[in-house]
């Protein structure tokens, strides 16, 4: 029976019984006697309690649905509210769950297209940096070297300084190009790419170490790229924002698949809102059916974990 009719009939039954009693054996004196007031107040209390119990039972599924509506995050797929309650409420919950499924599928499709376009744009920019800007700076270096040979000693020293500045700029451009397009990932595989990534981030102020299992299962290109980008973003956040002195990158095999863990000893996430980098990691994780979790480390700092099932189903 619909909720409306259950509430209506309950109130109707109580009012009919009260009216029958007032017309029959129950009368009200003027002034009202204490016993009569007690009977009327008891009847009112019974009616209010009955309505309260019915509304509590009938609206409980709607309260769970409201909580699900306010806490749902398409980047963090979770459990759906159970389609409990009577027909109208259960149908509403099933409709909401179907809407969530459709929204998550549409978001996954649009995110896949956006990330694919992003990778293509990164590839193009890296190629232009390498082929155009890099070659131009190389030609400038050669020209500076030629001019320095013929220049007076005083000018020659200044030209050497310009050469060093140009060489530093060329190295920086090559480093940016490698980050935009991980050529080592395409040529040598994920293990070599992650080792090169940790070496690149390691410095005198930041100790970056890696631990990679040797018996990793075969992974497709999309999964390897997601693992690499998540590791890259995690190391970037640790180097720029965490104030860490030590970072450990681990890629291990698990019974379900593989797990990437990047742990630092910085000051942690705190109450800061998630930025575009973390949202990008979550979107990439959804593309390969992986589970991304960020939280405090065992002692301090931040743990970033990406659990990838071996046999996943891409959205």
């Amino acid at each position: 029976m619909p909720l409306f009719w259950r509430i209506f009939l309950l109130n109707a039954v109580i009012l009919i019984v009260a009216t029958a009693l007032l017309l029959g054996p129950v009368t009200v004196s003027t002034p009202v006697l204490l016993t009569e007031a007690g009977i009327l107040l008891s009847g009112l209390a019974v009616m209010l309690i009955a309505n309260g119990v019915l509304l509590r039972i009938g609206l409980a599924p709607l309260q769970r649905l409201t909580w699900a509506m306010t806490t749902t995050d398409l980047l963090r797929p979770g459990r759906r509210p159970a389609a409990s309650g009577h027909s109208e409420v259960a149908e509403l919950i099933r409709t909401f769950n179907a809407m969530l499924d459709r929204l998550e599928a549409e978001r996954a499709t649009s995110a896949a297209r956006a990330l694919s376009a992003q990778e293509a744009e990164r590839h193009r920019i890296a190629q232009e940096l390498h082929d155009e800007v890099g070659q131009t700076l190389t030609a400038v270096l050669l020209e500076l070297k030629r001019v320095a040979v013929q220049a007076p000693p005083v000018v020659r020293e200044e030209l050497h300084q310009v050469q060093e500045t140009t060489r530093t700029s060329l190295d920086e451009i090559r480093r940016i190009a490698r980050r935009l397009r991980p050529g080592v990932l395409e040529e040598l595989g994920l293990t070599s790419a992650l080792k090169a990534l940790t070496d690149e981030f390691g410095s005198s102020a930041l100790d970056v170490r890696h631990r990679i299992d040797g018996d990793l299962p075969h992974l497709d290109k999309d999964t390897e790229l997601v693992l690499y980008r998540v590791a890259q973003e995690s190391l970037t956040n640790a180097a720029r924002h965490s104030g860490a002195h030590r970072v450990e990158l681990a890629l291990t095999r698990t019974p379900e698949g593989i797990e990437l863990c990047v742990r630092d000893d910085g000051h942690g996430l705190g109450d800061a809102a998630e930025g575009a980098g973390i949202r990008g990691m979550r979107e990439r994780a959804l593309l390969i059916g992986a589970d991304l979790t960020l939280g405090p480390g065992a002692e301090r700092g931040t743990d970033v974990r990406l659990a990838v099932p071996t046999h996943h189903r891409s959205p």
Side-chain angles (χ1 to χ4, degrees), residues 24-138:
V26 178
T27 58
V28 180
S29 303
T30 304
V32 180
L33 299 177
L34 183 61
T35 55
E36 295 173 343
I39 294 174
L40 291 176
L41 292 176
S42 298
L44 177 62
V46 169
M47 184 174 66
L48 292 176
I49 292 173
N51 277 274
V53 171
L54 179 62
L55 289 174
R56 174 66 64 181
I57 296 174
L59 298 180
L62 292 179
Q63 292 177 344
R64 293 195 297 270
L65 178 61
T66 301
W67 180 84
M69 287 180 175
T70 56
T71 58
T72 295
D73 185 352
L74 295 181
L75 291 178
R76 301 179 184 179
R79 293 182 300 176
R80 301 285 191 262
S84 58
H86 292 271
S87 58
E88 292 177 334
V89 177
E91 182 61 26
L92 178 62
I93 297 176
R94 283 192 292 268
T95 303
F96 174 74
N97 291 339
M99 180 191 69
L100 280 185
D101 293 337
R102 185 173 65 255
L103 289 176
E104 288 181 357
E106 292 175 354
R107 182 180 180 87
T109 302
S110 61
R113 293 174 179 171
L115 291 175
S116 178
Q118 183 185 76
E119 289 296 332
E121 185 67 10
R122 286 185 173 188
H123 187 282
R124 184 188 65 81
I125 294 174
Q127 194 71 30
E128 290 183 357
L129 286 175
H130 181 273
D131 293 345
E132 298 182 11
V133 181
Q135 290 182 5
T136 301
L137 287 179
T138 301

Side-chain angles (χ1 to χ4, degrees), residues 135 163 199 215 302:
Q135 290 182 5
Q163 281 181 285
D199 293 339
D215 59 342
T302 305

